[in-house]
């Protein structure tokens, strides 16, 4: 068995790559797929914090510095997920050799069905090492022209490294970002939208609770979308919520940020 490896990127920082990587990995694990989540953001890692693994002594830093075995850097996450977190120290960043990531992947790949790699922001050697080892690239972008434009540049970078972008996950959408708005926004970059994730207060709540939203608020709109995408990657058709039993509403489920009207949404009329 060799794992299917997805690397999660963006052009701009802060688009939601890490939170998406955590939740996609947890959703895949929830579908009983053997899944490994790797935090390859060597300089600004966040996944340990998001999953309560921030005190892990042996991390990807030590593995990439050839000071530890990868087996000793794997930790248990939700739904049976395995997590390879990254340290947060600058010394750890300095000693880690990103070129060794391919050896780490070669070692762990036979034990998993999916590997999800969270990357750093921007065009640099750390990001390149994560893209080079993957089968497919998923880009997490926000519905703004700046994010889409930088994402387009990242796509060119991926192509230069021999990896095509499978599609975009459009994150932090609000009611004003209707389908027409979204289509116009991405039409210029000719990339496929895989899934649309709403701005959702359950995300910061789940980060505060150090749990993925798919396990903490499984009935939220964003969790349903994450699970739908995970199922798509597994080739499984998920029943839409209305096909199954009624969904339980979470406390914060309906709290969305209401934004001012944006130009593209007006063109609907
Ligand atoms: N759908 C969402 N709804 C509400 N908040 C969100 C959503 N997605 C992300 N966020 C918030 O955006 C912030 C950035 O998310 P995250 O750290 O996952 O981005 P990133 O792309 O990994 O950032 P970086 O480029 O720094 O690695 C977080 O504080 C998170 O709470
Ligand atoms: Mg991140």
């Amino acid at each position: 068995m060799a794992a299917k490896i997805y690397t999660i990127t963006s052009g701009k920082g802060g688009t939601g790559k890490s939170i998406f990587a955590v939740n996609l990995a947890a959703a895949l694990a929830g579908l009983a797929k053997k899944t490994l989540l790797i935090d390859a953001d060597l300089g600004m890692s966040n996944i340990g914090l998001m999953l309560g693994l921030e005190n892990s002594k042996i991390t990807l830093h030590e593995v990439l510095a050839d000071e530890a075995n990868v087996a000793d850097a794997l930790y248990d996450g939700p739904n049976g997920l395995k997590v390879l977190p990254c340290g947060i120290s600058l010394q750890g960043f300095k000693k880690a050799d990103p070129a060794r990531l391919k050896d780490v992947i070669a070692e762990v790949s036979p034990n998993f069905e999916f590997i999800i790699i969270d990357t750093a922001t921007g065009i640099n050697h750390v990001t390149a090492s994560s893209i080079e080892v993957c089968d497919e690239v998923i880009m997490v972008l926000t519905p703004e022209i700046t994010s889409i434009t930088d994402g387009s540049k990242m796509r060119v970078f991926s192509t230069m490294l021999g990896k095509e972008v499978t599609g975009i996950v459009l994150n932090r959408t609000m009611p004003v970002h209707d389908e027409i708005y979204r289509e116009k926004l991405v039409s210029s970059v000719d990339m496929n939208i895989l899934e649309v994730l709403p701005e959702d207060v359950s995300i910061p709540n789940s980060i505060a609770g150090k749990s993925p939203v798919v396990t903490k608020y499984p009935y939220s709109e964003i969790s349903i979308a994450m699970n739908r995408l995970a199922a798509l990657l597994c080739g499984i058709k998920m029943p839409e919520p209305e096909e199954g039993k009624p969904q339980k509403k979470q406390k914060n489920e309906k709290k969305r940020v209401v934004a001012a009207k944006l130009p593209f949404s007006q063109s609907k009329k």
Side-chain angles (χ1 to χ4, degrees), residues 19 200-213 216-217 251-253 255:
I19 200 73
D200 193 327
V201 75
S202 57
I203 291 290
N205 286 345
S206 73
I207 294 173
K210 301 194 175 190
S211 301
V213 73
K216 196 164 170 63
Y217 301 110
K251 213 169 131 202
N252 293 317
E253 197 175 350
K255 279 192 197 162

Side-chain angles (χ1 to χ4, degrees), residues 107-120:
E107 193 174 338
V108 292
S109 180
N111 304 323
F112 292 96
E113 292 169 272
F114 288 95
I115 297 177
I116 306 299
I117 304 177
D118 181 33
T119 61

Side-chain angles (χ1 to χ4, degrees), residues 17-18 41 46 118-119:
K17 293 180 293 299
S18 299
D41 188 346
N46 283 159
D118 181 33
T119 61

Side-chain angles (χ1 to χ4, degrees), residues 54 62 115 131 150 157:
E54 65 272 27
E62 286 64 46
I115 297 177
I131 294 174
D150 290 358
F157 184 55

